[in-house]
């Protein structure tokens, strides 16, 4: 039998959302064993004794139940492993970043290459790219110019990314979203005709 550890006294691994050991102040609990086995309803004194005999913590896992459900576990180890899993999950999760690149429908070759290189760099870094064609004046009557430019850009970067959101009209602009390939296997990009109608304002 072991004495309650510093976890019982509110040590650094105690969690505010879970009561453990002597903090559980009810006459009886529904006890679950360390391997998930159902022990049944027992007096809190007996549950605490079993916890100490097994050198484990008594953790309240369902405080709203009547009686509350408690489980025998190594709470410090449980909290440590949960924190490790959370850190690993955050490390493996790629934060989605959307970059934006703006072009004019009658862009000159040099500017186009500069803008394309920006898109290439964004995709290489795993970012999505929102490509916006900005129409001015009479250019608004020639949406095919913007579509052809977006189609050309998509084909130029098809080894790095694919069209996640096809070209569509958005007021005076035309927008397309490119996303990086998730694997080394490249997929050819095919731009589709722009959507119009309800998207316009």
């Amino acid at each position: 039998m072991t004495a309650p550890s510093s976890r019982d006294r509110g040590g650094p691994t105690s969690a505010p959302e879970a009561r453990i050991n002597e903090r559980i102040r009810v006459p009886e609990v529904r006890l679950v064993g360390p391997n998930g086995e159902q022990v049944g309803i027992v007096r809190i004194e007996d549950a605490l004794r079993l916890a100490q005999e097994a050198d484990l913590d008594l953790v309240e896992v369902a405080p709203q139940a009547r009686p509350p459900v408690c489980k025998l576990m190594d709470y410090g180890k449980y909290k440590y492993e949960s924190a490790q899993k959370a850190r690993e999950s955050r490390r493996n999760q790629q934060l989605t970043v959307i970059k934006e690149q703006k072009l004019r429908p009658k862009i000159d070759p040099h500017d186009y290459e500069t803008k394309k290189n920006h898109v290439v760099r964004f995709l290489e870094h795993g970012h999505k790219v929102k490509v916006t064609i900005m129409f001015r004046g009479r250019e608004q009557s020639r949406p095919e110019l913007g579509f052809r430019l977006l189609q050309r850009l998509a084909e130029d970067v098809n080894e790095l990314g694919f069209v996640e959101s096809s070209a569509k009209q958005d007021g005076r602009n035309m927008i397309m979203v490119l996303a990086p390939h998730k694997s080394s296997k490249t997929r050819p990009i095919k731009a589709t005709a722009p959507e119009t109608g309800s998207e316009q304002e």
Side-chain angles (χ1 to χ4, degrees):
M1 182 181 300
T2 60
S5 68
S6 61
R7 293 191 297 269
D8 309 340
R9 300 188 296 273
T13 57
S14 61
E17 72 274 8
R19 293 189 298 180
I20 65 173
N21 300 327
E22 282 78 8
R23 292 181 178 180
I24 305 172
R25 302 183 183 279
V26 293
E28 59 184 17
V29 299
R30 184 177 297 277
L31 186 62
V32 179
N35 297 316
E37 64 274 17
Q38 297 291 329
V39 178
I41 297 177
V42 300
R43 295 187 309 156
I44 185 64
E45 295 86 356
D46 295 332
L48 288 170
R49 176 178 54 79
L50 290 172
Q52 290 196 8
E53 289 176 353
D55 195 20
L56 295 172
D57 294 303
L58 182 67
V59 181
E60 189 178 52
V61 294
Q64 301 303 322
R66 291 292 179 268
V69 179
C70 294
K71 184 175 181 179
L72 297 174
M73 67 172 73
D74 185 333
Y75 192 59
K77 181 180 178 182
Y78 167 76
K79 292 294 289 182
Y80 174 78
E81 291 178 347
S82 296
Q84 288 289 93
K85 290 179 181 178
R87 281 194 292 269
E88 187 68 21
S89 176
R90 288 193 297 269
R91 189 180 304 118
N92 293 335
Q93 182 182 21
Q94 291 186 348
L95 181 63
T96 300
V97 177
I98 300 181
K99 300 291 186 176
E100 185 172 15
Q101 194 60 240
K102 297 181 178 180
L103 298 84
R104 294 293 308 281
K106 295 181 179 180
I107 189 171
D108 66 62
H110 179 267
D111 285 346
Y112 173 79
E113 288 299 319
T114 299
K115 300 285 187 179
K116 184 188 74 174
N117 289 336
H118 291 329
V119 173
V120 167
R121 187 174 70 253
F122 293 149
L123 292 173
E124 286 177 339
H125 283 78
H127 303 318
K128 295 183 180 182
V129 186
K130 175 184 176 183
V131 185
T132 303
I133 304 295
M134 301 179 297
F135 296 93
R136 294 180 183 175
R138 296 182 179 179
E139 293 174 348
Q140 297 179 56
S141 64
R142 301 288 304 279
E144 70 277 4
L145 295 177
F147 172 67
R148 283 201 295 264
L149 184 57
L150 291 177
Q151 186 177 39
R152 174 187 172 189
L153 179 61
E155 291 171 352
D156 286 348
V157 300
N158 66 352
E159 292 187 357
L160 297 171
F162 64 98
V163 176
E164 183 181 73
S165 179
S166 300
K168 58 185 177 182
Q169 200 78 27
D170 182 17
R172 295 183 178 182
N173 301 328
M174 184 176 289
I175 296 172
M176 175 181 72
V177 178
L178 297 171
H181 292 309
K182 294 181 179 180
S183 66
S184 58
K185 183 179 180 180
T186 60
R187 289 172 289 177
I189 294 179
K190 291 183 180 179
T192 58
E195 301 172 5
T196 59
S198 60
E199 298 290 339
Q200 293 187 352
E201 297 181 357

